[in-house]
Amino acid sequence: MTAPIIQIRDVSKTYDVGLPALAGLSLEVRAGEALAVLGPSGSGKSTLLNLVAGLDRPSEGGVTVDGVRLDGMTEAGLARYRRERVGMVFQFFNLLDDLTVEDNVLLPAQLAGLPRTQAWERARELLERLGIDRHARAHPGRLSGGERQRVAVARALMNRPPLLLADEPTGALDSASAADVRDLLAGLSRDGQSIVLVTHDTALARSCATRTIELVDGVIARDSEVPGAVPAGATGTVTGIGEARAAVR
Amino acid sequence: MSALGTVVRAGVSRRRVQTLVMTLTTMMAVTASVLAAGLLVVSQGPFDHAFAAQRGAQLTVRFDPGRVGAAQVAATARVPGVTSAAGPYPVLSLAPRIGANRTGMPVGAPVPPLTVVGRSGTGGPVDDLRLTQGRWATGSGEIVLGLGDNDPVGVGDRITLPDLPGRPTLTVVGLAASVGRSADAWVSPAEAAALTAPGSTAGYQMLYRFSSAGTDAQVAADRDAIAAAVPAGAIGEAASYLPVRQAAARNSATYVPFVVAFGVLGLVMSVLIIGIVVSGAVGAATRRIGILKSLGFAPAQIVRGYVGQALIPATAGSVLGVAFGNLLAIPVLHQEGGALGIGAPGIPLWVDLAVPAAVLATAAATALVPALRAGRLSTTEALAVGRTPRAGRGRAVRRLLGRAPLPRPLSLGLAHPFARPGRSATMVAAVLLGTVGATFGVGLALSLGDVENGIGRDNAGAVTVPDFSFSDNPGAVMRTADPNAVAAVIGAQHGTRSWFGTTMTQVGVAGLAGATQVFSFQGDSSWAGYQMVSGHWIDGPGQVVAPAGLLSATGTRVGDTVTLTDNRHRVPVRIVGEVLSLHQSLYTEQATLAGLDAFVLPGSTQYSVDLTPGTDGVAYLASLNRALSPLGITALPTQQRISPTIIAMDGLAAMLTAMLVAVAGLGVLNTVLLDTRERVHDFGVLKALGMAPRQTVAMVVTSVSGIGLLAGAVGVPIGIAVHHSVLPVMGRAAGTGIPAVDLSVYRLPLLVPLLLGGLVIATAGALLPAGWAARARTATALRTE
């Protein structure tokens, strides 16, 4: 068994009004595992993702990711954590429209202060790997939804994060583009990338998750392995993971 | 509340910070405008204002009691054209000397002759006196003095009248101001009778106001009408109010040029800020407008709603601005009013109404343009705004800067102004106006300081030796020392580096009526440091320097020759320079006047002594006084005079500069805040990618730094040009030229901070929204559309 990359202990999150979004939730995700978080609207899926991403703080309990305890960190510490340890993919891409595809992808490395040459090489490698290198100089507004999401994935992987977080990555896409992104994430999962995926898309969960949990009213109602998925850290997948890491990292 | 009212209220309260900024900005703009416009109006007509309020005498006539009786004088009040009159009052000419006093004046010193009028009180149909201190003279031995610039005695002090039998003494019980300067002092009618010399009769003073007295010719006609009503030769003196009015106008006119400059800057800034604020507020709410239209709001309602949203904070700001403008005007106008003894005039009511009305009209007009555009938008277009990616300008610059060897937050910030060039231009204009104001204000203060220093050169050196002394005994005669003996003592004193003597004399100048005051110098006066507007300081006999006013009055220029005369002798002298001075005087060496029998003003000679560096001033003074003791005179440390007018100008300039800079900063604050709110989603994305708070602040601040530097680079030369244009106009209004050295105040150590001033204004304005952007919760920002 690999070490847990995410450890969530008795986390509650209450906003200014209303019921708690998360209520005493505990969860552990192992490195290389691809976790799909399912559930109806308002069940706490995005809140959970925001806590893991360090975008929000729990009202109670503790969140530890890749050995880093998040709940007591300063804003500057959380920013550094996001630069170094997580990559994020959003439903509506969240690309900066004024920057080219290439500049969008470069941003995390530039914010982290990566040497220029190294950053450029990494960006070119990712654009090529994800099949969007021909759009490097284009602005995101000119790309299709699927292409934009590929750019977002490339940007998320730029700093080689141990953990990839995806919030409804196919939610704003047509079916063809959704299938395209589904394949991309499934490939990453097969390659051993740790992923937490919030989605309503059961096909996406089936194709790329190794485990699913279902949230209802801020608590885990169901936690199950995906049948047929390769367990993270299983020796039988080492070759595949190794090849994938070589390509992506 | 109607649906429209609900929407307006919600729109105002939803954007609390922006509403607050708009209120503050409008308040600042109205404050500056009310102050500027009010001062402009008040400074143009303080005399007229006071003259009307106090029913000043347009003609003050002194009748000869030997030729006309009191009843006939009183009957002149009914002469056609006279609208009101006061008198006859008994009037005397007295030559007092200073008596016991608490102000440190030497007892026995002569006081200029006083025209003293017997009046029973301050009021009356004409010339309503303003008692500024103490009380009215009602009893024997009491006198009220007229308010002057350099009153030698104050309330409680005494003056003596050595020319009258019994050498009577009068106690000053009050100070009063007559707006038309109808007299120098007042006593009770009974006291006037008591002070009338035996065998003589006091004159009669009548004060008149006429239906027409706006010009010299009209006043002359009025005087003739009065003269026609009394026997020939009955009028001894008849003084028009017009010369007093002209002198007052010259004083206040000095304020006008720079107040106008600040006023124009303030008004342009007001319009600009209101434009930025309202356009931004309406533009930022376009999608909301779409939602409202989808709910059934008519285009006209949308327009009214958004104009209303702009007018609510603008109205609140205007009300506060009027209040602050009036409050801030009090100390400035107090000085202006003090000069006329009229108390502090207030900002005229019409200014308090017109300025906010103009500002609100500007706000409404500015809001109307984008509001009309929003009203005409189709619902789907309006709803699409905010969701659709902006076209985004300046992509080439962004790409270029993205490849520059700069941290990414800085290159993103530097490129940002190119994405919204229109908004950036307005921000440049706001900071530029602030920089112009700061450059002009700082230069004005420095120049006024230099001018003050230059004008104060008649107090040169560390030690002053008056060439006269007084006994402590009331009525004692002033004693003067032998000038040569004084000069010898000063010259022999250890520690004396240089000295010169100054004596005030009066001579005639060909082409000028009456006597002209001449400062004549004994010894080397070159170190006195009188500032020259043109030409050079006197360096030999036969040379004079003169101020602009005298050159103008004589129609001469530097290099011309004028003739000095004492009615018997004539001495031609060459004008070698124009000196910075507000005196209508000539400056020359004593040797120049040797051929004239010039009248030397008693007690006017004094010696200015410069000490060798390192000399202990106190010890020098003690030693010099021991040496001067046999001559009966005393050396004093030189007192530097500070002009209250220049203090007031400095204060006003500082206040207006601070306001302009603050408004410029608020303009930046508002624009950056607006921009930050619009880009909050982008900030969320950047923060989600790992942009640290410090990097966010750096990016936002950098986005205005280029604007600040550009505005500084352009604003400083403009500010210098305004300074160089306004100062000479102020000088001309004051009756003098301004020496080039007083204009050349912008030296490198000053220019560097001024050039960086735009950056400081822009950075200060951007810091608050930058902090807000850095603190904004990432998850919330990402949810923002």
Side-chain angles (χ1 to χ4, degrees):
Chain A
M1 292 286 284
T2 55
I5 192 165
I6 300 173
Q7 288 177 295
I8 297 173
R9 294 272 181 272
D10 302 321
V11 161
S12 294
K13 176 66 184 177
T14 307
Y15 293 107
D16 296 339
V17 288
L19 294 169
L22 294 177
L25 183 143
S26 293
L27 176 68
E28 210 166 78
V29 180
R30 285 164 286 149
E33 195 170 38
L35 175 73
V37 183
L38 304 171
S41 293
S43 60
K45 302 189 299 295
S46 292
T47 299
L48 175 64
L49 198 74
N50 285 343
L51 294 179
V52 174
L55 299 178
D56 217 338
R57 295 169 191 277
S59 305
E60 289 174 32
V63 178
T64 304
V65 178
D66 200 23
V68 177
R69 180 76 183 254
L70 303 186
D71 40 287
M73 290 182 80
T74 62
E75 278 302 316
L78 286 172
R80 191 170 57 250
Y81 158 76
R82 288 194 292 270
R83 282 200 300 266
E84 294 172 356
R85 298 176 192 272
V86 295
M88 290 199 72
V89 179
F90 302 91
Q91 179 178 4
F92 293 106
F93 327 122
N94 282 342
L95 299 173
L96 298 180
D97 297 312
D98 289 337
L99 299 184
T100 61
V101 164
E102 192 173 57
D103 286 338
N104 266 286
V105 174
L106 276 168
L107 260 179
Q110 290 170 325
L111 290 174
L114 204 68
R116 286 161 60 86
T117 316
Q118 206 175 322
W120 281 104
E121 282 175 6
R122 172 69 176 160
R124 271 196 292 271
E125 174 193 331
L126 281 169
L127 290 172
E128 196 177 317
R129 156 91 176 130
L130 298 176
I132 43 175
D133 50 327
R134 67 182 185 284
H135 299 304
R137 298 293 175 90
H139 285 84
R142 304 183 65 177
L143 306 186
S144 70
E147 287 169 332
R148 284 192 224 179
Q149 200 59 297
R150 281 180 170 270
V151 176
V153 172
R155 184 180 66 180
L157 295 173
M158 184 69 193
N159 286 348
R160 296 183 167 86
L163 179 63
L164 180 68
L165 304 174
D167 188 2
E168 301 281 8
T170 57
L173 302 177
D174 57 57
S175 55
S177 296
D180 182 38
V181 171
R182 204 157 44 227
D183 291 346
L184 173 62
L185 293 175
L188 288 171
S189 174
R190 279 196 303 277
D191 294 343
Q193 174 68 52
S194 301
I195 300 173
V196 174
L197 180 68
V198 167
T199 184
H200 283 101
D201 184 348
T202 49
L204 175 65
R206 269 200 310 274
S207 65
C208 72
T210 57
R211 175 185 169 197
T212 62
I213 60 172
E214 184 174 353
L215 294 186
V216 177
D217 294 335
V219 296
I220 297 173
R222 188 173 58 83
D223 185 344
S224 60
E225 299 289 332
V226 175
V230 179
T235 53
T237 61
V238 167
T239 307
I241 290 172
E243 286 170 355
R245 281 183 190 275
V248 175
R249 283 181 177 255
Chain B
M1 183 177 283
S2 68
L4 184 62
T6 306
V7 166
V8 170
R9 193 186 63 178
V12 169
S13 58
R14 194 169 68 98
R15 294 180 173 272
R16 287 198 192 102
V17 176
Q18 208 146 15
T19 300
L20 180 67
V21 169
M22 189 165 164
T23 304
L24 289 176
T25 310
T26 315
M27 186 194 83
M28 287 285 192
V30 172
T31 300
S33 301
V34 163
L35 193 60
L39 287 177
L40 191 59
V41 172
V42 171
S43 67
Q44 277 183 330
F47 183 85
D48 292 342
H49 177 79
F51 200 76
Q54 297 177 36
R55 302 183 299 281
Q58 291 165 332
L59 190 67
T60 301
V61 179
R62 181 173 180 162
F63 292 93
D64 182 349
R67 294 176 182 269
V68 65
Q72 201 173 358
V73 170
T76 58
R78 294 187 293 277
V79 167
V82 175
T83 55
S84 55
Y89 303 122
V91 57
L92 308 162
S93 292
L94 300 177
R97 287 179 177 267
I98 290 174
N101 66 85
R102 290 173 295 188
T103 48
M105 289 299 294
V107 173
V111 174
L114 297 180
T115 297
V116 181
V117 170
R119 282 176 65 166
S120 55
T122 57
V126 179
D127 195 27
D128 186 12
L129 302 176
R130 290 280 185 268
L131 198 61
T132 58
Q133 200 178 340
R135 60 174 176 80
W136 189 249
T138 53
S140 174
E142 295 179 346
I143 189 168
V144 170
L145 293 182
L147 199 63
D149 293 334
N150 296 300
D151 299 314
V153 289
V155 173
D157 294 344
R158 296 182 176 192
I159 58 173
T160 61
L161 299 164
D163 298 339
L164 293 180
R167 305 169 72 87
T169 296
L170 301 176
T171 301
V172 180
V173 296
L175 298 178
S178 166
V179 66
R181 304 279 164 101
S182 64
D184 300 314
W186 296 268
V187 294
S188 67
E191 182 66 10
L195 294 175
T196 304
S200 65
T201 308
Y204 303 117
Q205 185 190 63
M206 280 294 287
L207 308 173
Y208 301 97
R209 289 178 67 85
F210 300 95
S211 53
S212 300
T215 64
D216 284 328
Q218 287 173 336
V219 174
D222 293 331
R223 179 194 179 284
D224 292 345
I226 299 293
V230 293
I235 291 182
E237 293 171 6
S240 164
Y241 76 107
L242 290 174
V244 180
R245 183 175 186 263
Q246 284 158 4
R250 190 179 68 177
N251 181 47
S252 57
T254 313
Y255 282 87
V256 172
F258 84 91
V259 172
V260 166
F262 274 112
V264 168
L265 285 173
L267 288 172
V268 172
M269 182 77 94
S270 308
V271 170
L272 186 73
I273 296 296
I274 289 165
I276 294 170
V277 170
V278 178
S279 301
V282 174
T286 306
R287 184 162 178 272
R288 188 163 172 264
I289 291 166
I291 295 170
L292 294 175
K293 292 183 85 171
S294 72
L295 295 175
F297 274 77
Q301 285 178 303
I302 298 291
V303 173
R304 285 206 303 276
Y306 279 88
V307 171
Q309 279 183 47
L311 285 180
I312 287 174
T315 303
S318 295
V319 171
L320 290 171
V322 168
F324 275 104
N326 279 266
L327 281 174
L328 290 173
I330 289 173
V332 180
L333 294 179
H334 181 75
Q335 199 274 337
E336 180 70 6
L340 291 168
I342 57 175
I347 299 278
L349 180 63
W350 70 265
V351 171
D352 286 342
L353 296 174
V355 170
V359 169
L360 288 174
T362 308
T366 314
L368 196 60
V369 177
L372 283 172
R373 194 182 66 231
R376 284 195 298 267
L377 269 179
S378 79
T379 307
T380 50
E381 279 176 344
L383 284 170
V385 171
R387 283 189 180 280
T388 308
R390 288 193 304 270
R393 296 189 178 90
R395 285 176 169 176
V397 177
R398 197 176 286 264
R399 278 184 62 79
L400 201 65
L401 284 167
R403 275 136 192 81
L406 288 170
R408 194 59 173 130
L410 300 191
S411 63
L412 284 172
L414 285 173
H416 182 69
F418 299 95
R420 303 293 297 269
R423 185 173 289 176
S424 301
T426 55
M427 209 162 14
V428 168
V431 180
L432 186 142
L433 286 172
T435 310
V436 169
T439 305
F440 173 51
V442 170
L444 182 67
L446 290 173
S447 289
L448 289 176
D450 286 353
V451 168
E452 165 81 3
N453 202 23
I455 286 174
R457 288 299 183 186
D458 50 351
N459 289 340
V463 172
T464 299
V465 185
D467 189 23
F468 56 87
S469 66
F470 297 97
S471 164
D472 288 341
N473 299 324
V477 178
M478 179 174 63
R479 293 187 294 133
T480 58
D482 173 16
N484 294 327
V486 176
V489 169
I490 294 172
Q493 186 68 26
H494 180 69
T496 298
R497 182 163 77 166
S498 188
W499 65 271
F500 65 85
T502 312
T503 300
M504 286 165 62
T505 63
Q506 288 186 337
V507 300
V509 176
L512 282 184
T516 296
Q517 188 170 262
V518 177
F519 288 88
S520 62
F521 298 94
Q522 173 195 3
D524 175 18
S525 61
S526 61
W527 63 271
Y530 279 91
Q531 290 185 355
M532 303 305 296
V533 179
S534 62
H536 64 83
W537 182 247
I538 49 175
D539 56 14
Q543 297 180 359
V544 295
V545 296
L550 200 102
L551 293 175
S552 171
T554 54
T556 53
R557 289 185 298 185
V558 173
D560 289 351
T561 297
V562 292
T563 301
L564 307 184
T565 173
D566 64 356
N567 294 324
R568 288 182 297 149
H569 308 95
R570 296 169 70 83
V571 174
V573 292
R574 195 163 64 86
I575 302 169
V576 297
E578 180 189 335
V579 67
L580 172 67
S581 174
L582 298 179
H583 298 299
Q584 292 285 16
S585 308
L586 287 170
Y587 300 76
T588 189
E589 288 190 2
Q590 280 187 4
T592 305
L593 305 178
L596 296 173
D597 186 16
F599 170 68
V600 177
L601 294 174
S604 70
T605 300
Q606 67 172 34
Y607 298 85
S608 302
V609 185
D610 190 26
L611 306 185
T612 308
T615 302
D616 180 347
V618 175
Y620 177 91
L621 207 58
S623 172
L624 180 61
N625 277 330
R626 279 194 298 275
L628 289 171
S629 179
L631 302 176
I633 59 174
T634 306
L636 305 164
T638 301
Q639 302 289 320
Q640 293 301 325
R641 288 197 295 262
I642 300 172
S643 161
T645 302
I646 286 187
I647 291 174
M649 284 182 178
D650 277 348
L652 180 57
M655 196 160 50
L656 292 173
T657 303
M659 279 191 170
L660 271 178
V661 170
V663 170
L666 278 176
V668 174
L669 168 70
N670 178 72
T671 310
V672 177
L673 191 68
L674 184 69
D675 208 54
T676 305
R677 287 194 183 284
E678 286 180 7
R679 295 169 63 208
V680 65
H681 186 261
D682 285 358
F683 284 120
V685 173
L686 289 167
K687 292 173 85 171
L689 296 177
M691 181 173 273
R694 182 170 44 85
Q695 291 175 309
T696 310
V697 170
M699 182 175 67
V700 175
V701 170
T702 311
S703 72
V704 299
S705 60
I707 286 169
L709 285 171
L710 175 67
V714 179
V716 169
I718 295 175
I720 293 173
V722 172
H723 172 270
H724 284 15
S725 303
V726 170
L727 259 291
V729 178
M730 289 174 67
R732 279 196 291 278
T736 179
I738 302 290
V741 67
D742 293 341
L743 288 176
S744 306
V745 293
Y746 296 102
R747 298 180 186 92
L748 193 62
L750 176 63
L751 281 175
V752 171
L754 283 176
L755 284 167
L756 294 174
L759 180 64
V760 172
I761 293 171
T763 303
L767 271 178
L768 197 67
W772 178 82
R775 285 192 304 275
R777 290 178 62 231
T778 311
T780 309
L782 284 169
R783 281 198 296 271
T784 308
E785 290 177 342

